């Protein structure tokens, strides 16, 4: 920026104060104007405002608008098809192959584009467990994305440790660099590309902060299973007795909201590893949806949207008062808040535990309104539902989604981020659960009384009471009924939950229509599982639904 304005920006005089000896020339970045190394949040605030990237809101959060990129560009993710990983990668719609030569040309063009520019670097870790963490480097051409990296990953506060930091994986994020489909072989001007051989990821042509976060998650999803660590798209919390619970689910199913329970310690809200020693958070922060966030129902998360250090993405605000409107969806349904984990009052400072999960919860947002609010799964049903990963994508979480939820099957409840075949993760989860004796629950946070637009979304109060009962063992010694279609067990009673809520058919005025819709959902499950049935044990296939 100095080359254009001819005067210093707020942090320019101490830009290299926390620099690593492992310089950017090692990544091929040279002839740069200035590099801002590991700036703290306060300095990044000043730089972001000075550069016109963001505004400060009432209470202190930093608000950014990401232009047309208000969600992940799921169809623009690529993995370089190189010899070291080619046999391990699950190639297809989630992992599109890119030729190494194309990647080399793309990288060369990006490095040339960044010559003469000012860059921001955050050296940090992914993985809270010292035995499994990985040193990473996030290089961006905007101050606010550097703050995003600082919020989302595990910071280094020791000057000497920063000086000697050598990353094992690096992300270069440049929203201003546009890919050329003709030259680069990409689908659009946006591309998220991972090269496991070079330990390098590129995020180009998108301002959406979630691409940085999910690129690192995808990298861990490849590397950690090779170390016998189950890599999981889940939130995690822990009770006073050390009992850990995992909450699997896609964006919009309630992972963040339901794991932020004031009665339990939060380990993390989105990404974790499960090793032979216990569970650990990959991240140092949270990235929560905040559309229509309620101070009554989600007080902990609502509070952080008015706090210094939080980044708000695409939230509507009043320019005169600097007050935000969390209910306004004019920009996108996918409004987000990025904040350090410690902003949640009951967060576990260590972000890890040496105890193993006792409960595994699969969260699904059923837009058809037919699944029960909670069901208990046996071992084979667990594998079937984990591989299926049924839910409904909520509007705004990916580019191209409309207003209505879109029924989808996302293997491992996070297919876009899985690099190995789903069986690799399913088998690892099964092994971990057998060793820990964990129970598995399917919890529907979607609609009751009819599909989207007819019924209504289940009360978060009922969902919390059902989860609390499951986690506290109050559903262990009660009567269950076997579901006629899916075969899983549904409790007949639950403390503080009306009995009629436990049977979704009760909320439908037309019972015949309910069973038709339920049967149609079963058909969708069966058709989807055909994609994964080859090589799957017959008892797992048989654990699926049966048509009426």
């Amino acid at each position: 920026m100095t080359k254009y304005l001819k005067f210093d920006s707020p942090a320019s005089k101490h830009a290299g104060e926390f620099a690593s000896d492992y310089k950017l020339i090692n990544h091929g970045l040279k002839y740069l104007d200035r590099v801002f190394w590991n700036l703290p949040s306060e300095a990044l605030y000043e730089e972001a405002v000075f550069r016109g990237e963001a505004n400060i809101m009432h209470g202190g959060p930093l608000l950014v608008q990401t232009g047309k990129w208000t969600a992940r560009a799921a169809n623009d993710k690529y993995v370089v098809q190189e010899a070291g990983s080619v046999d391990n990668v699950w190639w297809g719609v989630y992992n599109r192959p890119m030729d190494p030569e194309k990647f080399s040309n793309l990288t060369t063009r990006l490095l040339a584009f960044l010559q003469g520019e000012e860059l921001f670097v955050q050296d940090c870790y992914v993985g809270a467990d010292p035995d499994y963490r990985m040193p990473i480097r996030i290089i961006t051409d905007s101050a606010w994305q550097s703050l995003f990296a600082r919020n989302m990953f595990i910071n280094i506060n020791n000057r000497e440790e920063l000086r000697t930091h050598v990353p094992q994986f690096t992300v270069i994020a440049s929203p201003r660099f546009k890919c050329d489909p003709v030259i680069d072989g990409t689908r659009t001007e946006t591309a998220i590309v991972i090269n496991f051989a070079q330990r390098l990821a590129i995020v180009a042509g998108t301002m959406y902060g979630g691409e940085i976060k999910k690129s690192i998650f995808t990298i861990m999803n490849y590397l950690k299973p090779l170390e016998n660590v189950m890599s999981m798209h889940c939130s995690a919390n822990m009770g006073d007795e050390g009992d850990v619970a995992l909450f699997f689910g896609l964006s919009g199913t309630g992972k963040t909201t339901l794991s932020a329970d004031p009665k339990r310690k939060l380990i993390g809200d989105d990404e974790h590893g499960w090793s032979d020693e216990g569970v650990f958070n990959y991240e140092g922060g949270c990235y929560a949806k905040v559309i229509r966030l309620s101070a009554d129902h989600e007080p902990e998360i609502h509070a952080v949207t008015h706090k210094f250090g939080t980044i708000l993405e695409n939230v509507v605000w009043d320019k005169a008062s600097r007050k935000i409107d969390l209910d306004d969806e004019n920009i996108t349904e996918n409004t987000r808040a990025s904040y350090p984990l410690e902003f949640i009052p009951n967060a576990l400072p260590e972000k890890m535990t040496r105890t193993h999960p006792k409960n595994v919860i699969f969260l699904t947002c059923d837009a058809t309104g037919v699944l029960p609010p909670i069901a208990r799964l046996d071992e084979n049903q667990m594998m079937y539902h984990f591989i299926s990963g049924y839910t409904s994508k909520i509007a705004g979480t990916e580019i191209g989604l409309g207003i209505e939820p879109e029924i989808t099957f996302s293997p491992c409840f996070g297919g876009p981020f899985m690099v190995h075949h789903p069986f690799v993760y399913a088998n690892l989860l099964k092994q971990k659960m057998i060793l820990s004796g964990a129970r598995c629950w399917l919890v529907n946070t979607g609609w009751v009384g009819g599909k989207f637009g007819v019924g209504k979304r289940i009360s978060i109060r009922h969902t919390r009471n059902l989860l609390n009962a499951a986690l506290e063992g109050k559903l262990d010694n009660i009567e269950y009924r076997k579901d006629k279609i899916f075969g899983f067990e549904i409790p007949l009673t639950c403390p503080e939950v009306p009995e009629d809520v436990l049977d979704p058919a009760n909320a439908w005025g037309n019972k015949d229509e309910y069973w038709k819709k339920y049967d149609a959902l079963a058909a969708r499950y069966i058709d989807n599982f055909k994609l994964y049935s080859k090589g799957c044990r017959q008892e797992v296939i048989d654990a699926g639904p049966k048509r009426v």
Side-chain angles (χ1 to χ4, degrees):
M1 178 164 288
T2 53
K3 67 181 180 181
Y4 302 116
L5 299 183
K6 304 299 183 186
F7 54 82
D8 290 337
S9 66
S12 59
K13 286 187 168 57
H14 54 268
E17 189 75 17
F18 302 110
S20 166
D21 288 345
Y22 192 82
K23 303 300 184 186
L24 296 194
I25 188 66
N26 292 289
H27 308 290
L29 288 160
K30 52 188 177 181
Y31 308 124
L32 301 171
D33 185 349
R34 182 180 283 114
V35 180
F36 294 86
W37 288 88
N38 298 305
L39 294 185
S41 300
E42 295 80 1
L44 289 168
Y45 255 69
E46 292 174 349
E47 288 290 331
V49 173
F50 177 80
R51 295 160 189 268
E53 299 172 3
N55 296 94
I56 301 174
M57 296 296 105
H58 176 73
L62 193 72
L63 189 144
V64 299
Q65 293 183 344
T66 59
K68 70 177 183 179
W69 302 279
T70 59
R72 288 187 300 105
N75 294 324
D76 294 308
K77 174 193 158 193
Y78 303 87
V79 176
V80 177
Q81 204 167 30
E82 46 80 26
S85 61
V86 66
D87 292 334
N88 292 328
V89 175
W90 179 40
W91 300 106
V93 64
Y94 297 129
N95 299 293
R96 295 167 180 80
M98 177 176 279
D99 182 78
E101 186 177 346
K102 287 288 186 184
F103 180 78
S104 179
N105 292 338
L106 174 63
T107 304
T108 300
R109 293 204 317 110
L110 174 61
L111 296 179
F113 174 83
L114 293 174
Q115 288 185 10
E117 297 296 323
E118 294 184 326
L119 298 181
F120 294 82
V121 177
Q122 287 293 326
D123 286 327
C124 37
Y125 290 107
V126 56
D129 190 331
D131 293 337
Y132 296 99
R133 71 186 184 186
M134 181 172 70
I136 59 173
R137 172 169 288 173
I138 311 297
I139 303 168
T140 70
D141 58 12
S142 62
W144 84 263
Q145 285 197 334
S146 193
L147 177 60
F148 180 87
R150 191 169 182 83
N151 276 356
M152 297 313 303
F153 302 112
I154 296 170
N155 295 326
I156 301 170
N157 297 313
N158 181 287
R159 188 185 294 256
E160 181 61 19
E161 192 174 350
L162 284 172
R163 187 184 68 78
T164 59
H165 186 89
V166 178
Q168 290 182 13
F169 227 108
T170 299
V171 175
I172 303 176
S174 177
R176 292 185 295 111
F177 177 79
K178 304 295 187 282
C179 300
D180 186 326
V182 175
I183 298 173
D184 302 315
T186 57
R187 193 181 67 91
T188 67
E189 64 183 18
T190 298
I192 300 93
V193 192
I194 299 173
N195 188 321
F196 289 106
Q198 295 184 17
R199 296 284 177 133
L200 175 65
I202 290 173
V203 177
T206 171
M207 291 181 66
Y208 184 59
E211 298 290 13
I212 297 173
K213 163 190 163 70
K214 289 304 184 186
S215 293
I216 291 294
F217 182 44
T218 303
I219 290 161
M220 294 293 275
N221 283 340
Y222 176 76
L223 296 175
K224 289 303 147 183
L226 300 177
E227 301 176 34
N228 198 38
V229 174
M230 176 59 188
S231 192
M232 306 176 292
H233 187 215
C234 72
S235 56
N237 63 25
M238 184 174 69
D240 292 337
E241 303 300 318
D243 56 303
V244 175
L246 304 180
F247 301 78
F248 286 87
L250 290 183
S251 175
T253 56
K255 290 196 318 299
T256 298
T257 298
L258 294 171
S259 57
D261 185 338
K263 295 186 295 185
R264 298 173 64 86
K265 294 291 185 183
L266 179 66
I267 302 171
D269 84 318
D270 196 41
E271 302 169 5
H272 292 81
W274 186 353
S275 71
D276 289 340
E277 289 77 36
V279 172
F280 61 97
N281 194 346
Y282 282 166
E283 301 178 300
C286 301
Y287 191 50
K289 283 193 72 173
V290 296
I291 190 69
R292 291 180 289 277
L293 203 64
S294 165
D296 294 329
H297 294 134
E298 300 97 8
E300 294 85 6
I301 304 173
H302 187 273
V304 306
T305 63
H306 298 79
K307 188 168 180 141
F308 179 89
T310 294
I311 301 171
L312 299 174
E313 277 189 358
N314 302 312
V315 172
V316 173
W317 60 292
D318 180 74
K319 290 180 171 57
S321 66
R322 298 300 175 102
K323 292 187 176 179
I324 60 174
D325 184 353
L326 295 177
D327 295 323
D328 195 323
E329 60 190 46
N330 279 333
I331 299 175
T332 177
E333 275 267 348
N334 191 38
T335 54
R336 291 276 177 171
S338 162
Y339 51 91
L341 187 69
E342 54 266 26
F343 280 11
I344 300 297
N346 62 328
L348 193 67
E350 299 82 7
K351 304 177 182 67
M352 59 170 287
T353 174
R354 294 298 190 189
T355 55
H356 292 282
K358 291 300 179 187
N359 290 280
V360 173
I361 294 100
F362 296 160
L363 297 171
T364 181
C365 177
D366 176 31
T368 69
V370 296
L371 283 179
I374 192 167
R376 188 169 62 185
L377 310 182
D378 63 26
E379 177 185 303
N380 291 322
Q381 290 167 344
M382 178 278 294
M383 292 190 70
Y384 186 94
H385 284 271
F386 185 69
I387 292 169
S388 298
Y390 166 68
T391 192
S392 303
K393 291 180 181 177
I394 303 300
T397 54
E398 288 184 12
I399 292 172
L401 288 179
I403 294 174
E404 289 198 17
E406 179 182 301
I407 290 177
T408 188
F409 292 88
S410 185
C412 311
F413 294 97
F417 322 120
M418 303 301 150
V419 188
H420 299 281
H421 191 280
F423 286 123
V424 173
Y425 304 101
N427 286 329
L428 257 180
L429 180 60
K430 172 191 163 187
Q431 293 168 18
K432 302 294 184 188
M433 290 182 66
I434 288 174
L435 289 174
S436 72
R439 294 165 297 190
C440 186
W441 307 88
L442 180 69
V443 174
N444 174 23
T445 62
W447 276 259
V448 293
K451 66 177 184 178
F452 175 85
V454 177
K456 62 179 182 179
R457 197 151 185 191
I458 189 170
S459 163
I460 191 171
R461 177 170 55 87
H462 289 333
T463 301
R464 282 197 182 279
N465 288 338
L466 286 163
L467 279 173
N468 289 339
L471 300 184
E472 294 166 10
K474 294 178 181 177
L475 299 183
D476 290 351
N477 300 307
I478 62 168
E479 209 175 335
Y480 284 77
R481 68 176 175 88
K482 185 175 181 178
D483 186 81
K484 285 194 291 187
I485 290 184
F486 278 87
F488 42 48
E489 295 181 313
I490 302 168
L492 296 180
T493 60
C494 177
E496 300 182 69
V497 178
E499 289 185 18
D500 62 340
V501 172
L502 297 171
D503 186 349
N506 291 330
W508 284 66
N510 187 326
K511 297 296 189 293
D512 288 339
E513 185 183 1
Y514 168 78
W515 287 108
K516 286 178 182 177
K517 291 288 185 183
Y518 205 3
D519 183 62
L521 179 61
R524 295 282 295 269
Y525 261 91
I526 293 167
D527 285 344
N528 171 74
F529 206 80
K530 291 175 182 175
L531 299 171
Y532 314 107
S533 59
K534 185 178 180 181
C536 186
R537 297 198 327 269
Q538 189 62 43
E539 52 263 40
V540 176
I541 299 172
D542 292 343
K546 307 295 186 293
R547 300 290 302 276
V548 173

